[in-house]
Amino acid sequence: MADPSFSARKDFLVPSSQAAVIAGLGSWLPPRVVGNEEIAQRLDTSDEWIRSRTGIAERRVVDPGTSTVDLAVEAGRRALISAGEGGADAVVLATSTADQPCPASAPQVATKLGLNGVAAFDVNAVCSGFIYGLATGAGLIAAGIARRVLVIGADVFTSLVDPDDRGTVPIFGDGAGAVLLRAGEEDELGALGPFDLHSEGELAELLWVEAGGAKNRRSDDPRDHYLVMQGQTVFRHACARMAESARAVLASAGWMVGDIDRFIGHQANIRILQTCAKQLGLADDVMYSNIEKVGNTSAASIPIALADSVKDGTLQPGHRVVMGAFGAGLTWGSTLLRWPDVIPG
């Protein structure tokens, strides 16, 4: 049953000049740890090979029966706890591994969190999904549609990976992260700054799953249902696009590269992060990475990295932060903010 108080909130329909401010943060990883040695025993690879090319030592993988909704609910719950009282008026779930093709998973997440009757929908921009989700949540607040928006990035990306492909198995893990956005002022700590979003659909086949959609629902070749990645070409595009996008939001905000205290990028590959930092002229300690312990968790990677960087003291209130991502689609984007005093739930 819908929350009767929600339908009475007519002021949500009035456009607002308020900014979207991060007020809560949470993340969740499946308990099962899969180290490089476990993968090396099954595939023709080694711990040294994986580490040297990706920077990954281990990743988390869901147990059978655990779904994207399950991960999203736990991360969302923790973000709501972090934000305190108030709940949320909308849920935006960034994922490319929804529990089923139809319907979207976000309404189930909202219901499981007790947010009955609120707007809830999925955003699929793959590894760029969290940045796209933040932009969507900020738009809902700016339009006066919602005052508090729960933005979740969650993926069971291992479900898309060919278990016999040594090029992709070591890279991807599962997880979820979330932030609670509230309406606030643009000069507050935590207020999201400008966004820069892009796509390039003609290059979709560089990183895609061919079958399973309306165009090719059932393929006789089981490999068509798994992720195919042209790694070297994707690497070049990711480095260039993430750096370009970061420069664009810096220019929009009037910041200089030297103003950045922390760059929280999509944790795709340590080499991509290092190359992007070099192209931007960032010091090594500015580009944050937790990929060694979690791998590439797709849309969940940035909010998980935010939570981890707060927990380990790397990210402090007042830090000037740029967030950037690149993913399948192709899609990429960035935003920035001054980090608030938020404790992960």
Side-chain angles (χ1 to χ4, degrees):
M1 180 181 295
D3 179 357
S5 64
F6 181 79
S7 61
R9 296 171 187 166
K10 303 299 185 183
D11 57 322
F12 281 12
L13 303 179
V14 179
S16 167
S17 61
Q18 290 187 302
V21 178
I22 291 180
L25 174 64
S27 66
W28 179 248
L29 293 169
R32 182 187 170 202
V33 178
V34 177
N36 289 345
E37 293 296 345
E38 181 176 336
I39 294 173
Q41 289 173 9
R42 188 168 54 82
L43 301 177
D44 181 21
T45 187
S46 67
D47 174 63
E48 189 280 330
W49 190 92
I50 296 169
R51 285 177 184 264
S52 65
R53 286 159 177 79
T54 68
I56 300 168
E58 60 187 42
R59 70 287 297 146
R60 301 296 185 93
V61 177
V62 297
D63 291 322
T66 300
S67 71
T68 295
V69 166
D70 295 328
L71 298 181
V73 167
E74 186 60 30
R77 184 184 69 81
R78 290 170 177 242
L80 290 169
I81 291 172
S82 171
E85 298 295 326
D89 309 304
V91 175
V92 178
L93 174 62
T95 187
S96 53
T97 60
D99 282 10
Q100 58 280 313
C102 177
S105 291
Q108 298 171 58
V109 173
T111 293
K112 289 176 179 293
L113 288 171
L115 302 173
N116 297 312
V118 307
F121 54 93
D122 293 359
V123 171
N124 185 351
V126 198
C127 296
S128 303
F130 184 70
I131 298 295
Y132 273 64
L134 287 178
T136 302
L140 292 173
I141 289 172
I145 296 171
R147 294 193 185 281
R148 292 166 65 93
V149 181
L150 182 61
V151 179
I152 307 171
D155 272 305
V156 178
F157 214 78
T158 57
S159 66
L160 300 180
V161 173
D162 182 346
D164 296 322
D165 180 9
R166 76 165 191 162
T168 55
V169 169
I171 295 173
F172 294 99
D174 304 325
V179 298
L180 190 285
L181 302 178
R182 63 165 175 81
E185 304 301 324
E186 63 180 14
D187 59 351
E188 286 186 69
L189 291 182
L192 295 174
F195 283 87
D196 180 71
L197 303 175
H198 299 277
S199 71
E200 195 166 5
E202 66 183 26
L203 299 178
E205 293 184 25
L206 293 179
L207 190 66
W208 79 337
V209 179
E210 183 175 356
K215 184 177 180 180
N216 185 10
R217 171 60 65 188
R218 299 177 183 85
S219 172
D220 293 333
D221 187 344
R223 292 173 298 182
D224 291 343
H225 292 270
Y226 291 127
L227 179 76
V228 174
M229 181 173 66
Q230 298 181 35
Q232 290 300 316
T233 306
V234 170
F235 179 93
R236 292 195 297 272
H237 279 277
C239 297
R241 299 309 192 188
M242 284 178 65
E244 290 172 3
S245 186
R247 292 190 190 99
V249 293
L250 288 170
S252 295
W255 291 10
M256 305 295 290
V257 170
D259 294 330
I260 303 174
D261 295 303
R262 295 289 178 264
F263 190 108
I264 309 292
H266 166 53
Q267 305 294 303
N269 179 305
I270 193 62
R271 289 181 171 182
I272 290 175
L273 293 172
Q274 291 170 342
T275 302
C276 182
K278 184 176 181 180
Q279 291 183 0
L280 287 170
L282 295 175
D284 291 342
D285 62 349
V286 173
M287 181 68 77
Y288 181 80
S289 179
N290 66 344
I291 195 170
E292 180 181 11
K293 296 294 186 181
V294 299
N296 181 341
T297 56
S298 193
S301 78
I302 289 178
I304 291 173
L306 288 172
D308 285 355
S309 62
V310 173
K311 291 174 184 176
D312 67 22
T314 302
L315 185 55
Q316 296 286 336
H319 274 171
R320 295 193 177 202
V321 180
V322 173
M323 296 182 284
F326 176 91
L330 299 175
T331 59
W332 62 96
S334 300
T335 190
L336 51 73
L337 74 161
R338 291 181 301 138
W339 189 250
D341 188 6
V342 170
I343 299 175

